[in-house]
Amino acid sequence: MFKYASDMDNGRKISRREFLGVTKTATIGGIIAAGIAGGAAGYLARMPEIKEVTKTVTITPPPAKLMPTKVGYVYVGPVGDYGWSYGHDRGRKWADERFKNIESSYIESVPEPEVTPAIESLVAKGCELIITTSFGFMDATAEAAEKYPDKYFVHISGYRSGAAGNASQNMSAAFAEFYQLYYLCGLAAGAVTQTGVIGYVGAYPIPEVVRHINAYVLGAQYAYKKRTGKNIKAHVTWLFSWVAPEQARLAASALIDEKNCDVLNYTEDTPAVLMVAEEYQKKNMKVWSFSHYSDMREYGPTAHLTGPVANWGPIYLDFYRMVATKTWQSVDIWARVGDYMPWRWKQLVEKSTAGKEEGTVYLAPINPVIPDDYVSLIKKRYEEMKEYLFEPFTVEGHDPDGKEPIRDQDGNVRIGFGERADRNALWSMDWLVEYIEEPLPK
Amino acid sequence: MFKLERHTDISRKTSGLIVFLSLLLAFFVTGIIFYLLNVDVIQFYLIICNVFITPALLLQVVFRSIPIILASLGLVVAFRMGFWNIGAEGQIYMGMIAATGMVILHVFYGAIPASLMLVVMGAVSFLAGGAWCLVPASLKVRLGVNEVLTTLMLNYIAMLLVDYLVYGPWRDPEGWGFALSIPFPDYATLTFGGHPSMAGIIISIAVATLVYVLFKYTKLGFMLSVLGKSGEVAKYAGIPVGRVTLLGSLISGGIAGLGGLYVVSGMIGRLRPRISPGYGYTAIIVAMLAQLNPWLILPAGIFFGGLLTAGDALQSSLRLPFSVITVFQSIIFLCIILAEFFRRYRVVLKR
């Protein structure tokens, strides 16, 4: 039994410090007990693994030229986040499976200022190809590329590469782009909305997210106007975070309850918004949502309409090949529908692959609750997108009658007749289409 | 029966020994846990030790420990005067904002001569960090508001202020709309001998010396110490408690602000939102581990930076998840608390 000498001597009440002392004693006791219990459990759990195996193995030394190519990945989050870093790790495994002579490793949860040491440690490990998968890693990757001219670097979601002329030739840039798929989600939204009001929970007001929102709202306008002759209304809430499931839940509920939205799309790395929609479905309210980055149907079997999905694997496999065969060329890859697909040409609607896994960006399975006419429309557009026969940021993508140009919130015409948004316009988009109620934070 | 007796006086040597033993215990406990998880423990220890003896790795260790070290040195001043500053994180962000502001003033308005840039950036980020810490200090002095809450809450405000600036007025016009400031020009980049770590370590040693001198030789340092021991005594001794608190917190926040300068000017070269992975919070553990001794902050901070660097190697070589380092850090933290207990009490066997 522990007693406090000082208490006995002075006979005063227990002060805060003594109280903390007691708490600490209890804590330490707890830790030790837990340690012993944990240790015992661990030991017991380990027991069955000890067994003797006798095997005859014929050893054939691999020829020297087949030394594996070492590849290192730097992730911004933990691979278990079910979002961005998880998606990249899935891509890594996909590519590793197909390219046997690769030895890949990764460093996860790397904070932005500390990416240089992470890259250095991969270089020290002998990695020939280093792939950094967060926008904030761009400058450090370019510096490392400068410093190690005999290594190869790929940066995801940035704008610096040898091809672009703002980094050395051993650096490439790559991204899996979603605006076309968000447009198709918009078609689905316009086809099912009863209130005529749709919502979007956005991560950050950067061009990537802005063009996804615009594409989604344009698609919804097209389908809704075609269906009812009326204009769509859209609301956007910003989270200022890529991963914020709790805030996303609150934002989604507010969009449904206060703004009367019944189809929600989002850029947030968890299935939180889809789960909110599913809860409303359970309460017999028709609220719909989508997958994001991976097939999330299990989180909202009823509420799930479709959604943009990415497989980074083909992009990584491409770079593996370049490095292993010494045929490197600095490139800026912007993978869209059709890219890396085995058959990248338009097919008949009946044979459409919309909703099936292919290439780097594709649609999650399409919910049959969407009226047949619109499922066909989604499929038709998806097929046309493969050959760039159809682009969302056009008058034809905006207005079913082909009459209205695309206007921003101030009423300025942004895309007129016969025009298409080119890569630069998409890449630096800083305006929202007229149907969105909230202004863009600047 | 066991009895706990309070130490009235404990020599610095014993106290240091207790902390050292607690660190050994942390290594040992971690080893046991990882052994049970089938990790190659020898390899695990070797990787950690390797980080501290390989010069190239050591340079990386220093690279990432500087913001922690500077923030800790700031906390030493605050904690010694009994001001529980949890706001080093926010003060770091304010330092970043001030440094970036100077770069923008220079590049767009030609306000400051290039040769003076680093000096001005240093002074302004010190003042910005200090001013951020003055807010809770004056609230405490004037209204008696608890500083733990106010310093903590100001962290989030500083973070949001950075968000506002990089998404708004300070967004790089050539950055394709991404949230980032313009890149810092060469003369606004903190390096010495081609490496930011060297500049960082020089600044850290200078600041540690100043903090040491402050408490050892100056009247202000003495008044801060008295204030830390007892506010009542300080008042009876005729120390201007309010003014001393304000001055002490200005220094404390200012030093953390220098950490912010190092992050944007030495580590990243731009201002970006939410870039600190919690340097200001890790600094609290480091300050505790070093027992508020400015000289010990340097090895303690480098030790924590070393754990992070070892984490990279552990992931790529042993294929352990990042959580391994979090587990290790937590065990160290628990052992430090344990050491704190044994520093205060002595176990006596009594019949």
Side-chain angles (χ1 to χ4, degrees), chain A residues 193-216:
Chain A
T193 177
Q194 291 302 316
T195 59
V197 189
I198 59 168
Y200 196 102
V201 181
Y204 288 101
I206 58 174
E208 177 196 337
V209 180
V210 168
R211 69 177 173 263
H212 292 171
I213 294 174
N214 281 340
Y216 170 63

Side-chain angles (χ1 to χ4, degrees), chain A residues 214 218 398 403-415 431-435:
Chain A
N214 281 340
L218 283 177
H398 167 225
K403 285 180 187 156
E404 294 293 322
I406 299 179
R407 294 191 183 87
D408 65 14
Q409 290 176 312
D410 301 327
N412 306 317
V413 173
R414 289 290 184 157
I415 291 157
W431 50 272
L432 290 174
V433 292
E434 55 183 315
Y435 311 106

Side-chain angles (χ1 to χ4, degrees), chain A residues 7-87:
Chain A
D7 294 345
M8 312 284 278
D9 298 341
N10 308 341
R12 64 195 162 94
K13 279 193 264 175
I14 291 185
S15 73
R16 196 171 146 269
R17 187 163 285 179
E18 268 87 7
F19 174 71
L20 284 178
V22 176
T23 324
K24 270 179 213 160
T25 322
T27 317
I28 291 154
I31 293 162
I32 293 167
I36 293 167
Y43 187 69
L44 288 177
R46 228 167 73 89
M47 289 300 273
E49 283 179 35
I50 305 163
K51 50 185 172 189
E52 267 182 54
V53 183
T54 323
K55 231 198 249 174
T56 322
V57 187
T58 337
I59 300 162
T60 35
K65 63 176 177 182
L66 272 181
M67 283 295 284
T69 308
K70 286 188 180 176
V71 181
Y73 289 77
V74 184
Y75 300 142
V76 69
V79 292
D81 67 357
Y82 205 84
W84 181 254
S85 296
Y86 168 81

